[in-house]
Amino acid sequence: RHAEAIHQARTATRTAEALFGEEHTATAYARYNLALALHAAGRRDEASREYGRALDSHVAIWGMAHPYTAYVLVPFAKLLLENGEETRAERMLRPAVRSRRGSLARGNWLTADAEATLARALYAQGTTQEALTLLKSAVPALQDQRGLDACATRQAAAAQSAARAGRSLQNVPRCV
């Protein structure tokens, strides 16, 4: 399943590059989808390179503060958290949270997911109170809009539970 998704995403990326060039919206979206497929398959190094290239394209086309750029920042930051790069993840997540708060309705699940991911980065760095504050609103928003079984909801709830108990985030589910 992952191999086919990666193959399709690589084909789409090559086609977009050939037709439109590197700094085009079609290429930026294709590269983002390739990064997601690689990340989902657990191919972290390749995913990181593709997220980086997708982010460079998104920033060149729309700028760092644009909501479309947040679509790359959040999963890229999740990958960084998986790799233990909490500070770098936080630097990506702060503009993503600002962008989503500024462009989406209050309590939107995309904003809640970005906030919960930022909370994980903060908690991993020892900033427990800010993490708990973010999770206090993010968890209910994810529960209401995504459901209790959604990976993002389970991830945020597990992070909240760990932060409240002063435990490690080691058992937080992995979500792309």
Side-chain angles (χ1 to χ4, degrees):
R1 183 176 113 209
H2 290 299
E4 180 61 23
I6 292 167
H7 173 74
Q8 293 295 329
R10 280 195 201 287
T11 301
T13 302
R14 279 192 223 107
T15 301
E17 284 176 337
L19 291 173
F20 306 112
E22 184 71 28
E23 300 300 323
H24 189 276
T25 57
T27 307
Y29 289 133
R31 189 165 308 287
Y32 164 71
N33 286 324
L34 174 56
L36 287 173
L38 291 163
H39 189 179
R43 293 166 63 171
R44 292 181 184 176
D45 290 342
E46 290 174 272
S48 182
R49 280 191 300 278
E50 295 303 329
Y51 277 135
R53 292 180 70 188
L55 179 58
D56 289 346
S57 293
H58 277 72
V59 170
I61 296 165
W62 293 292
M64 183 59 104
H66 198 280
Y68 291 162
T69 304
Y71 279 100
V72 178
L73 289 169
V74 175
F76 193 1
K78 287 181 180 188
L79 176 69
L80 294 173
L81 287 174
E82 290 172 23
N83 291 336
E85 297 182 60
E86 294 88 3
T87 303
R88 189 169 168 213
E90 178 190 355
R91 284 195 312 265
M92 287 187 178
L93 289 161
R94 290 209 182 267
V97 167
R98 274 192 303 275
S99 173
R100 287 190 172 170
R101 284 177 176 167
S103 63
L104 299 170
R106 183 173 174 81
N108 182 282
W109 77 270
L110 289 168
T111 304
D113 183 44
E115 290 169 340
T117 306
L118 174 58
R120 288 176 38 227
L122 293 169
Y123 181 69
Q125 295 176 80
T127 311
T128 305
Q129 194 54 51
E130 186 179 358
L132 285 169
T133 299
L134 288 164
L135 290 164
K136 184 177 181 179
S137 61
V139 171
L142 288 165
Q143 288 172 337
D144 290 345
Q145 294 177 40
R146 302 301 292 166
L148 296 174
D149 292 331
C151 194
T153 304
R154 290 183 293 110
Q155 191 175 56
Q160 184 178 45
S161 177
R164 284 180 174 160
R167 292 188 322 263
S168 158
L169 295 176
Q170 182 176 354
N171 295 324
V172 172
R174 180 180 168 273
C175 302
V176 175

